[in-house]
mmCIF file of all heavy atoms in Angstrom:
data_model
loop_
_atom_site.group_PDB
_atom_site.id
_atom_site.type_symbol
_atom_site.label_atom_id
_atom_site.label_comp_id
_atom_site.label_asym_id
_atom_site.label_seq_id
_atom_site.Cartn_x
_atom_site.Cartn_y
_atom_site.Cartn_z
ATOM 1 N N TRP Z 1 36.300 -116.392 -122.672
ATOM 2 C CA TRP Z 1 36.209 -115.715 -121.382
ATOM 3 C C TRP Z 1 37.176 -116.370 -120.408
ATOM 4 O O TRP Z 1 37.466 -117.563 -120.511
ATOM 5 C CB TRP Z 1 34.798 -115.841 -120.807
ATOM 6 C CG TRP Z 1 33.763 -115.060 -121.531
ATOM 7 C CD1 TRP Z 1 33.231 -115.314 -122.768
ATOM 8 C CD2 TRP Z 1 33.113 -113.886 -121.065
ATOM 9 N NE1 TRP Z 1 32.290 -114.383 -123.091
ATOM 10 C CE2 TRP Z 1 32.187 -113.491 -122.056
ATOM 11 C CE3 TRP Z 1 33.202 -113.145 -119.884
ATOM 12 C CZ2 TRP Z 1 31.369 -112.373 -121.916
ATOM 13 C CZ3 TRP Z 1 32.391 -112.029 -119.744
ATOM 14 C CH2 TRP Z 1 31.491 -111.651 -120.752
ATOM 15 N N ILE Z 2 37.617 -115.594 -119.435
ATOM 16 C CA ILE Z 2 38.335 -116.168 -118.306
ATOM 17 C C ILE Z 2 37.362 -116.257 -117.147
ATOM 18 O O ILE Z 2 36.810 -115.248 -116.700
ATOM 19 C CB ILE Z 2 39.546 -115.304 -117.896
ATOM 20 C CG1 ILE Z 2 40.530 -115.178 -119.061
ATOM 21 C CG2 ILE Z 2 40.230 -115.897 -116.669
ATOM 22 C CD1 ILE Z 2 41.140 -116.487 -119.523
ATOM 23 N N LEU Z 3 37.107 -117.470 -116.686
ATOM 24 C CA LEU Z 3 36.290 -117.696 -115.501
ATOM 25 C C LEU Z 3 37.232 -117.979 -114.348
ATOM 26 O O LEU Z 3 38.081 -118.876 -114.446
ATOM 27 C CB LEU Z 3 35.346 -118.886 -115.710
ATOM 28 C CG LEU Z 3 34.628 -119.405 -114.458
ATOM 29 C CD1 LEU Z 3 33.693 -118.352 -113.884
ATOM 30 C CD2 LEU Z 3 33.860 -120.684 -114.766
ATOM 31 N N GLY Z 4 37.114 -117.224 -113.270
ATOM 32 C CA GLY Z 4 38.044 -117.421 -112.168
ATOM 33 C C GLY Z 4 37.453 -117.081 -110.822
ATOM 34 O O GLY Z 4 36.315 -116.596 -110.719
ATOM 35 N N SER Z 5 38.258 -117.326 -109.802
ATOM 36 C CA SER Z 5 37.855 -117.005 -108.430
ATOM 37 C C SER Z 5 39.056 -116.515 -107.631
ATOM 38 O O SER Z 5 39.074 -116.623 -106.415
ATOM 39 C CB SER Z 5 37.239 -118.240 -107.758
ATOM 40 O OG SER Z 5 38.170 -119.320 -107.748
ATOM 41 N N SER Z 6 40.053 -115.992 -108.334
ATOM 42 C CA SER Z 6 41.279 -115.579 -107.660
ATOM 43 C C SER Z 6 41.855 -114.332 -108.319
ATOM 44 O O SER Z 6 41.417 -113.915 -109.401
ATOM 45 C CB SER Z 6 42.321 -116.695 -107.735
ATOM 46 O OG SER Z 6 42.768 -116.849 -109.076
ATOM 47 N N LEU Z 7 42.862 -113.756 -107.696
ATOM 48 C CA LEU Z 7 43.538 -112.600 -108.266
ATOM 49 C C LEU Z 7 44.347 -112.990 -109.500
ATOM 50 O O LEU Z 7 44.514 -112.187 -110.422
ATOM 51 C CB LEU Z 7 44.431 -111.944 -107.216
ATOM 52 C CG LEU Z 7 43.716 -111.438 -105.949
ATOM 53 C CD1 LEU Z 7 44.704 -110.739 -105.024
ATOM 54 C CD2 LEU Z 7 42.565 -110.497 -106.297
ATOM 55 N N ASP Z 8 44.862 -114.209 -109.513
ATOM 56 C CA ASP Z 8 45.644 -114.662 -110.672
ATOM 57 C C ASP Z 8 44.803 -114.669 -111.935
ATOM 58 O O ASP Z 8 45.261 -114.260 -113.011
ATOM 59 C CB ASP Z 8 46.214 -116.058 -110.418
ATOM 60 C CG ASP Z 8 47.368 -116.056 -109.433
ATOM 61 O OD1 ASP Z 8 47.946 -114.974 -109.207
ATOM 62 O OD2 ASP Z 8 47.677 -117.125 -108.878
ATOM 63 N N SER Z 9 43.573 -115.151 -111.822
ATOM 64 C CA SER Z 9 42.698 -115.193 -112.997
ATOM 65 C C SER Z 9 42.347 -113.779 -113.444
ATOM 66 O O SER Z 9 42.209 -113.515 -114.643
ATOM 67 C CB SER Z 9 41.426 -115.989 -112.697
ATOM 68 O OG SER Z 9 40.686 -115.407 -111.635
ATOM 69 N N ALA Z 10 42.200 -112.857 -112.492
ATOM 70 C CA ALA Z 10 41.911 -111.462 -112.845
ATOM 71 C C ALA Z 10 43.062 -110.857 -113.630
ATOM 72 O O ALA Z 10 42.856 -110.150 -114.629
ATOM 73 C CB ALA Z 10 41.651 -110.659 -111.576
ATOM 74 N N LYS Z 11 44.298 -111.133 -113.196
ATOM 75 C CA LYS Z 11 45.483 -110.621 -113.902
ATOM 76 C C LYS Z 11 45.562 -111.196 -115.311
ATOM 77 O O LYS Z 11 45.878 -110.482 -116.272
ATOM 78 C CB LYS Z 11 46.749 -110.978 -113.132
ATOM 79 C CG LYS Z 11 46.908 -110.255 -111.807
ATOM 80 C CD LYS Z 11 48.163 -110.742 -111.076
ATOM 81 C CE LYS Z 11 48.285 -110.102 -109.705
ATOM 82 N NZ LYS Z 11 49.462 -110.638 -108.958
ATOM 83 N N LEU Z 12 45.277 -112.481 -115.436
ATOM 84 C CA LEU Z 12 45.349 -113.119 -116.749
ATOM 85 C C LEU Z 12 44.333 -112.508 -117.706
ATOM 86 O O LEU Z 12 44.662 -112.176 -118.849
ATOM 87 C CB LEU Z 12 45.111 -114.629 -116.610
ATOM 88 C CG LEU Z 12 45.087 -115.423 -117.911
ATOM 89 C CD1 LEU Z 12 46.429 -115.324 -118.631
ATOM 90 C CD2 LEU Z 12 44.738 -116.891 -117.637
ATOM 91 N N ALA Z 13 43.087 -112.351 -117.237
ATOM 92 C CA ALA Z 13 42.054 -111.755 -118.085
ATOM 93 C C ALA Z 13 42.428 -110.334 -118.486
ATOM 94 O O ALA Z 13 42.219 -109.921 -119.630
ATOM 95 C CB ALA Z 13 40.719 -111.770 -117.353
ATOM 96 N N ALA Z 14 42.998 -109.582 -117.540
ATOM 97 C CA ALA Z 14 43.358 -108.185 -117.812
ATOM 98 C C ALA Z 14 44.489 -108.073 -118.811
ATOM 99 O O ALA Z 14 44.419 -107.297 -119.771
ATOM 100 C CB ALA Z 14 43.736 -107.498 -116.506
ATOM 101 N N THR Z 15 45.547 -108.843 -118.608
ATOM 102 C CA THR Z 15 46.720 -108.725 -119.486
ATOM 103 C C THR Z 15 46.447 -109.259 -120.883
ATOM 104 O O THR Z 15 47.083 -108.829 -121.849
ATOM 105 C CB THR Z 15 47.930 -109.460 -118.882
ATOM 106 O OG1 THR Z 15 47.589 -110.829 -118.625
ATOM 107 C CG2 THR Z 15 48.360 -108.795 -117.580
ATOM 108 N N ARG Z 16 45.495 -110.178 -121.012
ATOM 109 C CA ARG Z 16 45.148 -110.708 -122.337
ATOM 110 C C ARG Z 16 44.015 -109.926 -122.994
ATOM 111 O O ARG Z 16 43.638 -110.212 -124.129
ATOM 112 C CB ARG Z 16 44.753 -112.176 -122.233
ATOM 113 C CG ARG Z 16 45.863 -113.049 -121.688
ATOM 114 C CD ARG Z 16 46.105 -114.220 -122.568
ATOM 115 N NE ARG Z 16 47.199 -115.017 -122.040
ATOM 116 C CZ ARG Z 16 48.204 -115.425 -122.769
ATOM 117 N NH1 ARG Z 16 48.270 -115.097 -124.042
ATOM 118 N NH2 ARG Z 16 49.164 -116.169 -122.240
ATOM 119 N N GLY Z 17 43.449 -108.965 -122.248
ATOM 120 C CA GLY Z 17 42.365 -108.177 -122.810
ATOM 121 C C GLY Z 17 41.126 -108.981 -123.098
ATOM 122 O O GLY Z 17 40.462 -108.803 -124.114
ATOM 123 N N LEU Z 18 40.781 -109.871 -122.151
ATOM 124 C CA LEU Z 18 39.622 -110.748 -122.319
ATOM 125 C C LEU Z 18 38.541 -110.406 -121.299
ATOM 126 O O LEU Z 18 38.835 -109.881 -120.220
ATOM 127 C CB LEU Z 18 40.045 -112.210 -122.136
ATOM 128 C CG LEU Z 18 40.992 -112.774 -123.193
ATOM 129 C CD1 LEU Z 18 41.481 -114.163 -122.778
ATOM 130 C CD2 LEU Z 18 40.304 -112.829 -124.552
ATOM 131 N N PRO Z 19 37.293 -110.722 -121.598
ATOM 132 C CA PRO Z 19 36.232 -110.529 -120.613
ATOM 133 C C PRO Z 19 36.415 -111.488 -119.439
ATOM 134 O O PRO Z 19 36.965 -112.580 -119.597
ATOM 135 C CB PRO Z 19 34.952 -110.821 -121.395
ATOM 136 C CG PRO Z 19 35.384 -111.665 -122.549
ATOM 137 C CD PRO Z 19 36.778 -111.249 -122.879
ATOM 138 N N TYR Z 20 35.922 -111.073 -118.280
ATOM 139 C CA TYR Z 20 36.195 -111.791 -117.034
ATOM 140 C C TYR Z 20 34.902 -112.129 -116.311
ATOM 141 O O TYR Z 20 34.065 -111.261 -116.072
ATOM 142 C CB TYR Z 20 37.074 -110.918 -116.147
ATOM 143 C CG TYR Z 20 37.577 -111.563 -114.874
ATOM 144 C CD1 TYR Z 20 38.076 -112.851 -114.863
ATOM 145 C CD2 TYR Z 20 37.560 -110.857 -113.675
ATOM 146 C CE1 TYR Z 20 38.556 -113.429 -113.699
ATOM 147 C CE2 TYR Z 20 38.048 -111.417 -112.504
ATOM 148 C CZ TYR Z 20 38.540 -112.707 -112.517
ATOM 149 O OH TYR Z 20 39.015 -113.277 -111.353
ATOM 150 N N ALA Z 21 34.734 -113.396 -115.991
ATOM 151 C CA ALA Z 21 33.592 -113.857 -115.197
ATOM 152 C C ALA Z 21 34.107 -114.385 -113.865
ATOM 153 O O ALA Z 21 35.006 -115.238 -113.855
ATOM 154 C CB ALA Z 21 32.828 -114.954 -115.940
ATOM 155 N N PHE Z 22 33.559 -113.869 -112.775
ATOM 156 C CA PHE Z 22 34.036 -114.274 -111.449
ATOM 157 C C PHE Z 22 33.029 -115.206 -110.787
ATOM 158 O O PHE Z 22 31.833 -114.932 -110.750
ATOM 159 C CB PHE Z 22 34.271 -113.057 -110.555
ATOM 160 C CG PHE Z 22 35.068 -113.384 -109.322
ATOM 161 C CD1 PHE Z 22 36.453 -113.313 -109.334
ATOM 162 C CD2 PHE Z 22 34.438 -113.797 -108.160
ATOM 163 C CE1 PHE Z 22 37.195 -113.642 -108.205
ATOM 164 C CE2 PHE Z 22 35.162 -114.127 -107.034
ATOM 165 C CZ PHE Z 22 36.550 -114.051 -107.048
ATOM 166 N N ALA Z 23 33.548 -116.310 -110.232
ATOM 167 C CA ALA Z 23 32.703 -117.348 -109.639
ATOM 168 C C ALA Z 23 32.313 -116.993 -108.203
ATOM 169 O O ALA Z 23 32.570 -117.728 -107.255
ATOM 170 C CB ALA Z 23 33.421 -118.692 -109.670
ATOM 171 N N SER Z 24 31.654 -115.851 -108.063
ATOM 172 C CA SER Z 24 31.270 -115.400 -106.726
ATOM 173 C C SER Z 24 30.103 -116.200 -106.155
ATOM 174 O O SER Z 24 29.745 -116.022 -104.990
ATOM 175 C CB SER Z 24 30.920 -113.910 -106.751
ATOM 176 O OG SER Z 24 30.157 -113.566 -107.882
ATOM 177 N N HIS Z 25 29.520 -117.094 -106.936
ATOM 178 C CA HIS Z 25 28.422 -117.913 -106.420
ATOM 179 C C HIS Z 25 28.907 -118.998 -105.470
ATOM 180 O O HIS Z 25 28.093 -119.597 -104.761
ATOM 181 C CB HIS Z 25 27.628 -118.539 -107.572
ATOM 182 C CG HIS Z 25 28.414 -119.436 -108.471
ATOM 183 N ND1 HIS Z 25 29.585 -119.056 -109.087
ATOM 184 C CD2 HIS Z 25 28.186 -120.715 -108.879
ATOM 185 C CE1 HIS Z 25 30.042 -120.046 -109.818
ATOM 186 N NE2 HIS Z 25 29.220 -121.071 -109.711
ATOM 187 N N PHE Z 26 30.224 -119.259 -105.435
ATOM 188 C CA PHE Z 26 30.728 -120.207 -104.441
ATOM 189 C C PHE Z 26 32.077 -119.791 -103.861
ATOM 190 O O PHE Z 26 32.532 -120.370 -102.882
ATOM 191 C CB PHE Z 26 30.844 -121.630 -105.033
ATOM 192 C CG PHE Z 26 31.923 -121.781 -106.078
ATOM 193 C CD1 PHE Z 26 33.233 -122.045 -105.721
ATOM 194 C CD2 PHE Z 26 31.612 -121.679 -107.425
ATOM 195 C CE1 PHE Z 26 34.223 -122.196 -106.679
ATOM 196 C CE2 PHE Z 26 32.590 -121.821 -108.392
ATOM 197 C CZ PHE Z 26 33.905 -122.078 -108.012
ATOM 198 N N ALA Z 27 32.725 -118.783 -104.448
ATOM 199 C CA ALA Z 27 34.034 -118.335 -103.963
ATOM 200 C C ALA Z 27 34.048 -116.811 -103.890
ATOM 201 O O ALA Z 27 34.694 -116.151 -104.709
ATOM 202 C CB ALA Z 27 35.137 -118.850 -104.869
ATOM 203 N N PRO Z 28 33.337 -116.236 -102.933
ATOM 204 C CA PRO Z 28 33.142 -114.788 -102.916
ATOM 205 C C PRO Z 28 34.293 -113.967 -102.351
ATOM 206 O O PRO Z 28 34.316 -112.747 -102.506
ATOM 207 C CB PRO Z 28 31.905 -114.625 -102.028
ATOM 208 C CG PRO Z 28 32.016 -115.758 -101.050
ATOM 209 C CD PRO Z 28 32.579 -116.909 -101.855
ATOM 210 N N ALA Z 29 35.251 -114.610 -101.688
ATOM 211 C CA ALA Z 29 36.227 -113.887 -100.874
ATOM 212 C C ALA Z 29 36.967 -112.787 -101.623
ATOM 213 O O ALA Z 29 37.162 -111.689 -101.098
ATOM 214 C CB ALA Z 29 37.218 -114.875 -100.260
ATOM 215 N N TYR Z 30 37.392 -113.059 -102.856
ATOM 216 C CA TYR Z 30 38.224 -112.099 -103.583
ATOM 217 C C TYR Z 30 37.465 -111.345 -104.671
ATOM 218 O O TYR Z 30 38.092 -110.709 -105.522
ATOM 219 C CB TYR Z 30 39.420 -112.823 -104.213
ATOM 220 C CG TYR Z 30 40.408 -113.340 -103.206
ATOM 221 C CD1 TYR Z 30 40.460 -114.695 -102.885
ATOM 222 C CD2 TYR Z 30 41.271 -112.477 -102.544
ATOM 223 C CE1 TYR Z 30 41.350 -115.178 -101.946
ATOM 224 C CE2 TYR Z 30 42.171 -112.947 -101.604
ATOM 225 C CZ TYR Z 30 42.206 -114.299 -101.306
ATOM 226 O OH TYR Z 30 43.091 -114.768 -100.371
ATOM 227 N N PHE Z 31 36.146 -111.405 -104.640
ATOM 228 C CA PHE Z 31 35.364 -110.832 -105.737
ATOM 229 C C PHE Z 31 35.702 -109.370 -105.996
ATOM 230 O O PHE Z 31 36.114 -108.997 -107.101
ATOM 231 C CB PHE Z 31 33.867 -110.989 -105.465
ATOM 232 C CG PHE Z 31 32.991 -110.257 -106.445
ATOM 233 C CD1 PHE Z 31 32.990 -110.601 -107.784
ATOM 234 C CD2 PHE Z 31 32.182 -109.205 -106.029
ATOM 235 C CE1 PHE Z 31 32.194 -109.921 -108.702
ATOM 236 C CE2 PHE Z 31 31.384 -108.522 -106.934
ATOM 237 C CZ PHE Z 31 31.393 -108.876 -108.262
ATOM 238 N N PHE Z 32 35.550 -108.512 -105.008
ATOM 239 C CA PHE Z 32 35.753 -107.089 -105.235
ATOM 240 C C PHE Z 32 37.212 -106.760 -105.519
ATOM 241 O O PHE Z 32 37.517 -105.914 -106.370
ATOM 242 C CB PHE Z 32 35.226 -106.274 -104.051
ATOM 243 C CG PHE Z 32 33.748 -106.014 -104.119
ATOM 244 C CD1 PHE Z 32 32.849 -106.822 -103.440
ATOM 245 C CD2 PHE Z 32 33.252 -104.981 -104.901
ATOM 246 C CE1 PHE Z 32 31.485 -106.592 -103.510
ATOM 247 C CE2 PHE Z 32 31.883 -104.742 -104.989
ATOM 248 C CZ PHE Z 32 30.993 -105.546 -104.300
ATOM 249 N N LYS Z 33 38.134 -107.428 -104.857
ATOM 250 C CA LYS Z 33 39.554 -107.201 -105.127
ATOM 251 C C LYS Z 33 39.906 -107.636 -106.550
ATOM 252 O O LYS Z 33 40.669 -106.958 -107.246
ATOM 253 C CB LYS Z 33 40.415 -107.965 -104.121
ATOM 254 C CG LYS Z 33 40.397 -107.398 -102.711
ATOM 255 C CD LYS Z 33 41.333 -108.188 -101.811
ATOM 256 C CE LYS Z 33 41.318 -107.622 -100.392
ATOM 257 N NZ LYS Z 33 42.206 -108.404 -99.493
ATOM 258 N N ALA Z 34 39.344 -108.765 -106.967
ATOM 259 C CA ALA Z 34 39.670 -109.300 -108.292
ATOM 260 C C ALA Z 34 39.154 -108.403 -109.406
ATOM 261 O O ALA Z 34 39.874 -108.127 -110.374
ATOM 262 C CB ALA Z 34 39.114 -110.710 -108.442
ATOM 263 N N ILE Z 35 37.926 -107.937 -109.294
ATOM 264 C CA ILE Z 35 37.395 -107.118 -110.382
ATOM 265 C C ILE Z 35 38.048 -105.737 -110.402
ATOM 266 O O ILE Z 35 38.200 -105.130 -111.466
ATOM 267 C CB ILE Z 35 35.857 -107.019 -110.343
ATOM 268 C CG1 ILE Z 35 35.361 -106.340 -109.066
ATOM 269 C CG2 ILE Z 35 35.238 -108.398 -110.505
ATOM 270 C CD1 ILE Z 35 33.845 -106.084 -109.077
ATOM 271 N N GLU Z 36 38.466 -105.241 -109.236
ATOM 272 C CA GLU Z 36 39.198 -103.976 -109.206
ATOM 273 C C GLU Z 36 40.564 -104.141 -109.881
ATOM 274 O O GLU Z 36 40.988 -103.293 -110.684
ATOM 275 C CB GLU Z 36 39.389 -103.498 -107.766
ATOM 276 C CG GLU Z 36 40.144 -102.180 -107.655
ATOM 277 C CD GLU Z 36 40.375 -101.752 -106.229
ATOM 278 O OE1 GLU Z 36 40.194 -102.579 -105.302
ATOM 279 O OE2 GLU Z 36 40.748 -100.582 -106.021
ATOM 280 N N LEU Z 37 41.242 -105.242 -109.551
ATOM 281 C CA LEU Z 37 42.535 -105.517 -110.169
ATOM 282 C C LEU Z 37 42.394 -105.679 -111.670
ATOM 283 O O LEU Z 37 43.204 -105.145 -112.454
ATOM 284 C CB LEU Z 37 43.131 -106.788 -109.552
ATOM 285 C CG LEU Z 37 44.499 -107.233 -110.066
ATOM 286 C CD1 LEU Z 37 45.560 -106.225 -109.646
ATOM 287 C CD2 LEU Z 37 44.845 -108.619 -109.516
ATOM 288 N N TYR Z 38 41.389 -106.405 -112.092
ATOM 289 C CA TYR Z 38 41.133 -106.623 -113.518
ATOM 290 C C TYR Z 38 40.945 -105.290 -114.244
ATOM 291 O O TYR Z 38 41.546 -105.045 -115.299
ATOM 292 C CB TYR Z 38 39.894 -107.504 -113.680
ATOM 293 C CG TYR Z 38 39.331 -107.566 -115.072
ATOM 294 C CD1 TYR Z 38 40.008 -108.216 -116.097
ATOM 295 C CD2 TYR Z 38 38.097 -106.983 -115.367
ATOM 296 C CE1 TYR Z 38 39.477 -108.283 -117.382
ATOM 297 C CE2 TYR Z 38 37.558 -107.057 -116.642
ATOM 298 C CZ TYR Z 38 38.248 -107.693 -117.653
ATOM 299 O OH TYR Z 38 37.714 -107.752 -118.922
ATOM 300 N N ARG Z 39 40.136 -104.412 -113.689
ATOM 301 C CA ARG Z 39 39.883 -103.127 -114.336
ATOM 302 C C ARG Z 39 41.130 -102.247 -114.373
ATOM 303 O O ARG Z 39 41.391 -101.569 -115.367
ATOM 304 C CB ARG Z 39 38.740 -102.406 -113.604
ATOM 305 C CG ARG Z 39 37.373 -103.045 -113.845
ATOM 306 C CD ARG Z 39 36.337 -102.540 -112.877
ATOM 307 N NE ARG Z 39 35.009 -103.075 -113.180
ATOM 308 C CZ ARG Z 39 34.053 -103.248 -112.274
ATOM 309 N NH1 ARG Z 39 34.286 -102.924 -111.000
ATOM 310 N NH2 ARG Z 39 32.888 -103.749 -112.618
ATOM 311 N N ASN Z 40 41.891 -102.274 -113.296
ATOM 312 C CA ASN Z 40 43.091 -101.430 -113.228
ATOM 313 C C ASN Z 40 44.196 -101.909 -114.171
ATOM 314 O O ASN Z 40 44.963 -101.101 -114.704
ATOM 315 C CB ASN Z 40 43.630 -101.385 -111.804
ATOM 316 C CG ASN Z 40 42.741 -100.584 -110.869
ATOM 317 O OD1 ASN Z 40 41.961 -99.740 -111.311
ATOM 318 N ND2 ASN Z 40 42.838 -100.845 -109.576
ATOM 319 N N MET Z 41 44.300 -103.222 -114.360
ATOM 320 C CA MET Z 41 45.378 -103.785 -115.168
ATOM 321 C C MET Z 41 44.979 -104.046 -116.618
ATOM 322 O O MET Z 41 45.805 -104.472 -117.423
ATOM 323 C CB MET Z 41 45.874 -105.100 -114.544
ATOM 324 C CG MET Z 41 46.545 -104.951 -113.200
ATOM 325 S SD MET Z 41 47.224 -106.538 -112.605
ATOM 326 C CE MET Z 41 48.481 -106.863 -113.855
ATOM 327 N N PHE Z 42 43.733 -103.791 -116.953
ATOM 328 C CA PHE Z 42 43.219 -104.185 -118.263
ATOM 329 C C PHE Z 42 43.990 -103.523 -119.408
ATOM 330 O O PHE Z 42 44.254 -102.324 -119.398
ATOM 331 C CB PHE Z 42 41.742 -103.828 -118.392
ATOM 332 C CG PHE Z 42 41.124 -104.287 -119.677
ATOM 333 C CD1 PHE Z 42 40.678 -105.585 -119.813
ATOM 334 C CD2 PHE Z 42 41.016 -103.422 -120.759
ATOM 335 C CE1 PHE Z 42 40.112 -106.022 -121.005
ATOM 336 C CE2 PHE Z 42 40.458 -103.844 -121.960
ATOM 337 C CZ PHE Z 42 40.014 -105.155 -122.075
ATOM 338 N N ARG Z 43 44.329 -104.347 -120.393
ATOM 339 C CA ARG Z 43 44.977 -103.882 -121.607
ATOM 340 C C ARG Z 43 44.047 -104.163 -122.784
ATOM 341 O O ARG Z 43 43.711 -105.321 -123.045
ATOM 342 C CB ARG Z 43 46.303 -104.609 -121.829
ATOM 343 C CG ARG Z 43 47.322 -104.422 -120.723
ATOM 344 C CD ARG Z 43 48.539 -105.280 -121.002
ATOM 345 N NE ARG Z 43 49.503 -105.282 -119.901
ATOM 346 C CZ ARG Z 43 50.543 -106.105 -119.831
ATOM 347 N NH1 ARG Z 43 50.752 -106.999 -120.799
ATOM 348 N NH2 ARG Z 43 51.355 -106.037 -118.798
ATOM 349 N N PRO Z 44 43.645 -103.143 -123.513
ATOM 350 C CA PRO Z 44 42.770 -103.378 -124.680
ATOM 351 C C PRO Z 44 43.415 -104.355 -125.653
ATOM 352 O O PRO Z 44 44.645 -104.385 -125.810
ATOM 353 C CB PRO Z 44 42.642 -101.979 -125.299
ATOM 354 C CG PRO Z 44 42.895 -101.045 -124.158
ATOM 355 C CD PRO Z 44 43.938 -101.720 -123.310
ATOM 356 N N SER Z 45 42.595 -105.143 -126.278
ATOM 357 C CA SER Z 45 43.079 -106.148 -127.230
ATOM 358 C C SER Z 45 42.170 -106.165 -128.444
ATOM 359 O O SER Z 45 41.179 -105.437 -128.502
ATOM 360 C CB SER Z 45 43.082 -107.538 -126.574
ATOM 361 O OG SER Z 45 41.740 -107.970 -126.357
#
């Protein structure tokens, strides 16, 4: 899994086709933007 709290981690998870866990329990600022980016950029693997 890719565990992240930023847009960079969302891009990495998406381009590698990996599941994504977002650390919104302490870094909530980019949560919705990150998961939207992840879904939009996701490449099946």
Side-chain angles (χ1 to χ4, degrees):
W1 290 72
I2 300 298
L3 169 64
S5 58
S6 69
L7 300 183
D8 286 342
S9 60
K11 292 177 184 177
L12 177 62
T15 56
R16 300 231 178 229
L18 294 172
Y20 186 44
F22 194 89
S24 42
H25 60 307
F26 69 85
Y30 292 104
F31 172 63
F32 277 96
K33 288 183 180 179
I35 62 173
E36 180 182 14
L37 181 67
Y38 167 70
R39 288 166 176 153
N40 289 338
M41 294 185 64
F42 184 83
R43 300 175 187 170
S45 69

